[in-house]
Amino acid sequence: MRARSILIALAALAASASPALATTETATSGSISATLSYDHVQDSFEYTNMQLAISRAGTQVLAGDPTFGDCDSPFCAPAGFGNRDSVIIDDLDGDGEPEVIVDLYTGGAHCCYLSRFYRWNGTTYVSADRNFGDPGYRIADLDGDGVKELITADYRFGYAFTAFAFSVMPIRIYDLRAGSWELVTKRFPDRIRKDAKAAWKTFTKISRNEEPRGAIAAWTADQLMLGHRRYAKRTLDRLARQGRLPSDGFAPKSQRKFVRDLLRFLAKRGY
């Protein structure tokens, strides 16, 4: 009798479970078609059976699981940005052969957007992957040369000097040429200056009442990318003397030591 009761309870539980909704997203460009399919357990952050299929002129040339890195089933979601779908086709390097892009999301409060970029090498599709962290990215041809940039921010600054809510991440720009990543932020000084201006504005607004170290860290990174190392160092030293770089529970307590630690942090990360 007890076994029968257990079976009845399990059957009831299965019947009440949210069903998985089969979903497909398809992008096309000329003769190229890419379809991302997956099952989504309704009312949950669970996605299973994720598959990508790419066809050229009606012939399937790739089929498989597009997930990678820390994006593991079932907690790896398709992740369109804004009005964009999770799978798109776009010629990033301007060579006339568009790339297939799959955007994924790991879930969690502050992480992570991962993207896989598929490039046709004449025989098959090969992938180039990147973890964009919390900021994600957007695509734009910033200089009109036909090569489209991927504009994001340096997610390594999250939690580095303060709580995430007060962390500010400096701009970071990439090109993807022939399947190889190239960091090109310094080619766009106007974008860096705009980013620095926004970081400084944030710093001046919160420095008297809240945690200022996240904003000043991003501002300093921007200044170093612009070649203003001495100016940045003098500014940091002045702010430390004025007591405008206090800690809100994050080490170090000393403002002068924070300046030294910040500059070392930036040097290790190529700024």
Side-chain angles (χ1 to χ4, degrees), residues 36-106:
L36 182 69
S37 61
Y38 50 88
D39 295 335
H40 178 209
V41 179
Q42 296 183 57
D43 303 319
S44 78
F45 190 86
E46 293 187 29
Y47 297 81
T48 58
N49 302 321
M50 190 174 293
Q51 292 287 308
L52 175 71
I54 305 177
S55 297
R56 298 174 66 86
T59 300
Q60 184 171 287
V61 294
L62 181 144
D65 185 347
T67 62
F68 67 97
D70 294 329
C71 214
D72 299 320
S73 179
F75 304 111
C76 184
F81 294 86
N83 295 324
R84 198 174 85 197
D85 289 333
S86 306
V87 57
I88 65 171
I89 301 176
D90 200 343
D91 185 2
L92 297 177
D93 52 12
D95 65 352
E97 178 62 57
E99 284 71 37
V100 175
I101 307 168
V102 177
D103 294 322
L104 305 169
Y105 180 56
T106 63

Side-chain angles (χ1 to χ4, degrees), residues 51-167:
Q51 292 287 308
L52 175 71
I54 305 177
S55 297
R56 298 174 66 86
T59 300
Q60 184 171 287
V61 294
L62 181 144
D65 185 347
T67 62
F68 67 97
D70 294 329
C71 214
D72 299 320
S73 179
F75 304 111
C76 184
F81 294 86
N83 295 324
R84 198 174 85 197
D85 289 333
S86 306
V87 57
I88 65 171
I89 301 176
D90 200 343
D91 185 2
L92 297 177
D93 52 12
D95 65 352
E97 178 62 57
E99 284 71 37
V100 175
I101 307 168
V102 177
D103 294 322
L104 305 169
Y105 180 56
T106 63
H110 300 299
C111 215
C112 283
Y113 291 99
L114 291 80
S115 298
R116 175 158 276 183
F117 299 78
Y118 292 88
R119 173 179 175 268
W120 180 251
N121 67 2
T123 304
T124 187
Y125 278 94
V126 293
S127 66
D129 305 332
R130 181 154 292 277
N131 184 343
F132 290 98
D134 185 76
Y137 72 99
R138 63 185 181 89
I139 300 172
D141 184 357
L142 296 178
D143 52 9
D145 66 350
V147 175
K148 296 180 181 179
E149 280 70 43
L150 305 172
I151 304 105
T152 181
D154 195 339
Y155 67 87
R156 297 173 298 179
F157 282 66
Y159 295 110
F161 307 103
T162 182
F164 189 89
F166 299 119
S167 295

Side-chain angles (χ1 to χ4, degrees), residues 176-223:
L176 182 61
R177 296 175 184 258
S180 297
W181 293 102
E182 183 179 0
L183 183 63
V184 297
T185 317
K186 292 182 181 180
R187 294 184 192 171
F188 302 96
D190 288 347
R191 298 277 171 164
I192 301 173
R193 282 191 284 268
K194 182 179 179 180
D195 196 65
K197 183 177 180 181
W200 183 261
K201 183 177 181 180
T202 298
F203 168 75
T204 56
K205 286 177 64 176
I206 71 174
S207 62
R208 304 195 185 281
N209 301 308
E210 297 176 354
E211 170 58 74
R213 291 185 175 183
I216 204 63
W219 176 87
T220 304
D222 288 334
Q223 295 302 323

Side-chain angles (χ1 to χ4, degrees), residues 191-261:
R191 298 277 171 164
I192 301 173
R193 282 191 284 268
K194 182 179 179 180
D195 196 65
K197 183 177 180 181
W200 183 261
K201 183 177 181 180
T202 298
F203 168 75
T204 56
K205 286 177 64 176
I206 71 174
S207 62
R208 304 195 185 281
N209 301 308
E210 297 176 354
E211 170 58 74
R213 291 185 175 183
I216 204 63
W219 176 87
T220 304
D222 288 334
Q223 295 302 323
L224 297 188
M225 286 192 287
L226 291 169
H228 302 160
R229 183 173 297 272
R230 292 183 63 185
Y231 166 65
K233 178 66 165 55
R234 289 198 302 268
T235 301
L236 290 171
D237 288 340
R238 173 175 56 82
L239 293 173
R241 289 195 303 270
Q242 294 173 346
R244 295 182 63 189
L245 301 175
S247 170
D248 186 21
F250 277 69
K253 186 175 181 179
S254 166
Q255 297 188 37
R256 292 181 183 273
K257 189 174 187 306
F258 162 71
V259 171
R260 295 194 298 270
D261 289 353

Side-chain angles (χ1 to χ4, degrees), residues 21-42:
L21 180 65
T23 304
T24 60
E25 299 181 32
T26 299
T28 59
S29 177
S31 64
I32 302 170
S33 175
T35 298
L36 182 69
S37 61
Y38 50 88
D39 295 335
H40 178 209
V41 179
Q42 296 183 57

